[in-house]
Amino acid sequence: MVSIPKNVIVECLGKTRLGFSIKYPLLILMYIKRCKPEIVHIHSSFLYYALSVIILNRYVKFVYTIHSDAVKENASKWDRLFLWLKRFCFRKGWVYPVTISEKSKKSFDDLYALDSKLIVNGIIPPIGVTNQNKLTCYRYTNKTKIFYHPGRITEAKNQEMLCNAFSRLILDNMDVVLLISGTKQDISIYNQLEGFFSDRIVYLGERNDVLELLCEVDAMCLSSKWEGMPIVLLEALSVGCIPICTPVGGIPEVVVDGENGLISKDVKLDDYIDVLCRFMSMSDTDIIKMKAKVLQSFEKFSIDDTSREYCSYYHYVLSKKSS
């Protein structure tokens, strides 16, 4: 658990339900006007900050980190409808875009015909996180392989394909278990996944001990259709958990297939089954060697480097004048 420094003020505006509500752009606008910050850093939907950007652009600088593919980020009806406004704000210098991987930068630069600042994600190195043997009940034999997928239940994470893949392995009598945890962001997808749940495909609910579980499982699964630079991938690297991923977003910039993880050829079901079978066929010696390389590759994703990059960019933004 990371403690929050005393000079960091945490406030919540109370949004708990999914979907857009005009109430919250107004609340955000009033909050920013009251606090009078020099910089507002956006990590969520632009629409919630649009009023603030339009009204306060002469007094406040807005930095916007795009955490996914720029096209996919604008997939909803409302995002498409107001894409022109977002593009206008970028062009006027009212909002400064940050992307988190070479792939996400390219998607942004192509969509908006603009340049974005690339700052790679980083996380705090885990301290004192160890295997707590919380999952021993899922090791049905001494050869059981436990795979873990931490991620919100949503289209982007492609959990239906993941569950289909493990259902096929289980039907083929492979001694595997898939554990899933995360917020039920899309209830309709979760309802579809329920048909797969069994003693070998298990939904663990929302968890605050993801790092401890990553320490205990044999591999972490990312079956995403699209990504930016997934934090959970960096978390897996930080504890030496082998990632088994699809080749989307910034993942291939982090994982070298066969060295510090495995990457499927595509996001298709058969391709992901193939990469799971490749993992299952690895020897204990090869797995130990790969885990060592996983840990070593985490060194490039220090939160210290990311923080320095952002601080430097904030100074640059503050030095600029809006159009």
Side-chain angles (χ1 to χ4, degrees):
M1 183 67 69
V2 178
S3 60
I4 299 174
K6 292 181 180 180
N7 62 340
V8 175
I9 300 170
V10 178
E11 293 198 34
C12 178
L13 298 183
K15 189 175 190 304
T16 57
R17 300 178 66 179
L18 296 175
F20 181 78
S21 169
I22 191 60
K23 169 184 176 182
Y24 294 99
L26 292 170
L27 287 176
I28 289 170
L29 172 61
M30 290 187 291
Y31 182 83
I32 294 173
K33 287 184 71 174
R34 186 173 73 250
C35 294
K36 299 179 180 178
E38 291 182 274
I39 288 182
V40 172
H41 197 148
I42 305 171
H43 287 276
S44 56
S45 173
F46 172 80
L47 294 179
Y48 283 101
Y49 295 84
L51 279 176
S52 302
V53 171
I54 293 168
I55 296 172
L56 302 175
N57 70 81
R58 299 280 178 187
Y59 313 100
V60 180
K61 301 292 188 180
F62 290 83
V63 175
Y64 180 18
T65 298
I66 294 90
H67 287 276
S68 187
D69 180 278
V71 175
K72 296 296 185 182
E73 186 197 44
N74 291 289
S76 76
K77 178 181 71 174
W78 288 106
D79 284 312
R80 289 196 302 271
L81 186 63
F82 286 97
L83 180 60
W84 66 271
L85 177 59
K86 192 187 293 188
R87 181 181 284 114
F88 177 82
C89 292
F90 288 141
R91 289 187 180 276
K92 294 288 284 184
W94 295 356
V95 180
Y96 292 81
V98 174
T99 48
I100 59 174
S101 70
E102 292 289 352
K103 188 73 176 289
S104 66
K105 176 176 170 56
K106 185 178 187 307
S107 71
F108 178 92
D109 295 357
D110 289 349
L111 178 63
Y112 295 100
L114 292 167
D115 190 30
S116 60
K117 174 67 174 178
L118 173 59
I119 300 179
V120 176
N121 275 348
I123 65 170
I124 298 172
I127 299 174
V129 178
T130 58
N131 179 354
Q132 300 294 313
N133 295 315
K134 296 181 178 182
L135 304 176
T136 52
C137 61
Y138 297 109
R139 290 200 184 274
Y140 300 115
T141 74
N142 59 4
K143 294 184 178 180
T144 301
K145 297 291 186 184
I146 299 179
F147 299 80
Y148 181 34
H149 171 79
R152 65 191 187 280
I153 308 298
T154 183
E155 181 187 0
K157 300 302 181 181
N158 206 16
Q159 287 100 349
E160 186 175 3
M161 184 275 281
L162 182 65
C163 288
N164 264 308
F166 276 90
S167 291
R168 289 258 294 266
L169 296 183
I170 292 165
L171 283 174
D172 289 340
N173 295 315
M174 298 189 78
D175 192 2
V176 297
V177 170
L178 171 64
L179 304 176
I180 299 172
S181 72
T183 307
K184 301 175 188 176
Q185 185 169 319
D186 191 318
I187 295 299
S188 63
I189 293 177
Y190 176 79
N191 291 339
Q192 292 175 340
L193 298 183
E194 282 189 304
F196 293 100
F197 296 161
S198 64
D199 59 336
R200 287 185 178 267
I201 299 179
V202 182
Y203 175 64
L204 301 175
E206 296 183 44
R207 306 286 297 216
N208 59 9
D209 58 350
V210 169
L211 285 175
E212 290 178 359
L213 300 187
L214 286 170
C215 285
E216 186 171 352
V217 299
D218 296 286
M220 187 274 292
C221 291
L222 268 183
S223 50
S224 307
K225 293 180 180 179
W226 64 85
E227 280 286 0
M229 179 68 76
I231 292 295
V232 71
L233 173 58
L234 305 187
E235 289 177 330
L237 300 185
S238 75
V239 296
C241 181
I242 293 174
I244 304 176
C245 309
T246 47
V248 299
I251 291 173
E253 299 168 33
V254 177
V255 179
V256 179
D257 184 51
E259 292 190 20
N260 65 334
L262 298 173
I263 299 184
S264 60
K265 291 182 180 179
D266 205 335
V267 298
K268 297 176 182 177
L269 174 62
D270 288 342
D271 292 321
Y272 203 76
I273 290 174
D274 286 346
V275 78
L276 290 171
C277 289
R278 281 173 57 201
F279 177 80
M280 294 291 290
S281 67
M282 289 175 63
S283 69
D284 291 342
T285 300
D286 287 340
I287 287 175
I288 291 170
K289 289 179 179 178
M290 183 173 283
K291 284 186 174 183
K293 290 182 179 179
V294 169
L295 270 174
Q296 187 178 14
S297 64
F298 174 67
E299 295 173 3
K300 297 185 293 185
F301 301 99
S302 164
I303 193 63
D304 293 335
D305 293 337
T306 303
S307 299
R308 279 191 290 269
E309 287 271 0
Y310 269 113
C311 287
S312 175
Y313 192 56
Y314 290 155
H315 286 297
Y316 165 77
V317 169
L318 288 172
S319 72
K320 304 293 285 184
K321 291 183 179 180
S322 298
S323 301

